[in-house]
Amino acid sequence: MLTFFLALLLLLGLAAAFIWIPRLIDRRTESFQSDLVNRHYEEVENMYRTMRAWRHDYHNHIQAAGSYLELGKYEELATYLKELDASLYEIDRIIKTGNLMADAILNSKLSLMREYQIRTEVTAHVPAQLKITDTELCVLLGNLLDNAIEACQKVAAEDERFIKIYMDILQEQFYISVMNGMQGKAARHGGLFESTKRGEGIHGFGLRRVDRIVDKYGGFLDRQSEECVFATEILLPIR
């Protein structure tokens, strides 16, 4: 009888673990993602503040340049204009999609791509309001771009490291396409791709998070891999 009760308690414990552990992991993941979202918001807000400050100071910059010109200080004027050009170049690199969350994720990841010398092409138009939540958009874009960056980092030849991002409205659906260079070809087992992250095995945690979000909204997802190229396409209903 004692053995029976011990076995029963063990089964109940295992059942509880199977139920609560995934929920605990999801809660911790959502907490981490919430912190990530807030940090991205702060980064983009800081960039927008820089843009507003530059516009506010535009008249002063014109006056300063005119003063150098009138005084014949051409070398000082050239230096001043060079500094302004550098400042404008940083502002022009900011991606503005129309959606603050998409702006936050894209600009954060693009800064990493520049750091890793990954060639980028970005065309992005995103509705201000989407059916998916900001946290889900963060998870979706964050995972897609993190995977693309990680794949490119493993490519030895700099001219073969690239990431192409396209986002827009297609037939009243939100369309996302991410294509990146990679080393070789992604391994596939049945209908699932093998994750490149150590310890994740087939269809890693990040990929499953993306799948769950797309499934939740009845969207469409397609992943394809050819030699040295990996591509992901997603369609999500807007309404």
Side-chain angles (χ1 to χ4, degrees):
M1 183 64 72
L2 180 60
T3 304
F4 171 77
F5 280 116
L6 288 174
L8 182 61
L9 287 173
L10 179 60
L11 287 173
L12 289 173
L14 289 172
F18 278 115
I19 293 172
W20 291 106
I21 288 177
R23 294 182 182 179
L24 179 61
I25 292 173
D26 281 346
R27 283 199 294 270
R28 289 182 177 177
T29 302
E30 287 172 3
S31 175
F32 168 77
Q33 288 161 352
S34 178
D35 293 339
L36 185 66
V37 168
N38 291 334
R39 185 168 73 249
H40 287 321
Y41 267 125
E42 290 171 4
E43 290 174 359
V44 173
E45 281 295 340
N46 181 60
M47 286 187 254
Y48 285 165
R49 281 194 295 270
T50 301
M51 292 174 64
R52 289 193 292 267
W54 204 96
R55 288 173 181 171
H56 179 266
D57 293 338
Y58 177 78
H59 183 67
N60 294 331
H61 291 314
I62 294 298
Q63 286 185 323
S67 297
Y68 281 127
L69 187 62
E70 288 178 5
L71 295 172
K73 296 184 176 182
Y74 303 118
E75 289 186 8
E76 289 86 346
L77 175 59
T79 301
Y80 187 75
L81 292 176
K82 186 176 180 180
E83 291 173 354
L84 284 182
D85 183 61
S87 177
L88 271 177
Y89 177 67
E90 288 301 317
I91 292 173
D92 284 342
R93 294 167 88 179
I94 297 173
I95 299 296
K96 296 177 282 294
T97 68
N99 180 289
L100 184 57
M101 175 51 61
D103 292 352
I105 299 298
L106 279 174
N107 285 289
S108 176
K109 301 304 179 185
L110 284 169
S111 66
L112 287 176
M113 295 175 199
R114 287 191 288 267
E115 181 180 341
Y116 297 138
Q117 298 180 319
I118 299 172
R119 179 166 43 90
T120 60
E121 293 181 24
V122 183
T123 301
H125 302 97
V126 183
Q129 298 295 326
L130 289 168
K131 193 173 181 180
I132 65 174
T133 67
D134 281 347
T135 301
E136 289 168 333
L137 183 61
C138 177
V139 172
L140 199 66
L141 296 181
N143 275 298
L144 290 176
L145 298 179
D146 282 343
N147 289 340
I149 290 170
E150 184 178 3
C152 283
Q153 284 181 281
K154 297 177 181 178
V155 177
E158 184 177 332
D159 60 343
E160 295 178 5
R161 295 197 295 264
F162 72 91
I163 297 177
K164 296 181 180 180
I165 304 166
Y166 183 85
M167 294 191 289
D168 210 337
I169 304 303
L170 179 64
Q171 297 179 350
E172 297 188 352
Q173 296 195 81
F174 180 39
Y175 175 71
I176 304 171
S177 172
V178 178
M179 181 183 296
N180 59 270
M182 65 177 301
Q183 186 176 8
K185 185 177 179 181
R188 192 166 192 164
H189 298 268
L192 302 178
F193 282 101
E194 185 174 348
S195 175
T196 58
K197 293 185 175 68
R198 183 177 298 176
E200 286 202 356
I202 299 172
H203 215 59
F205 180 72
L207 298 180
R208 289 195 295 270
R209 293 285 293 173
V210 171
D211 292 352
R212 287 170 61 182
I213 292 171
V214 175
D215 288 342
K216 177 181 176 181
Y217 293 96
F220 167 83
L221 185 149
D222 182 55
R223 297 184 179 98
Q224 296 292 332
S225 179
E226 300 295 337
E227 190 66 27
C228 300
V229 177
F230 191 87
T232 302
E233 288 183 298
I234 293 174
L235 278 169
L236 290 169
I238 297 174
R239 298 183 181 87

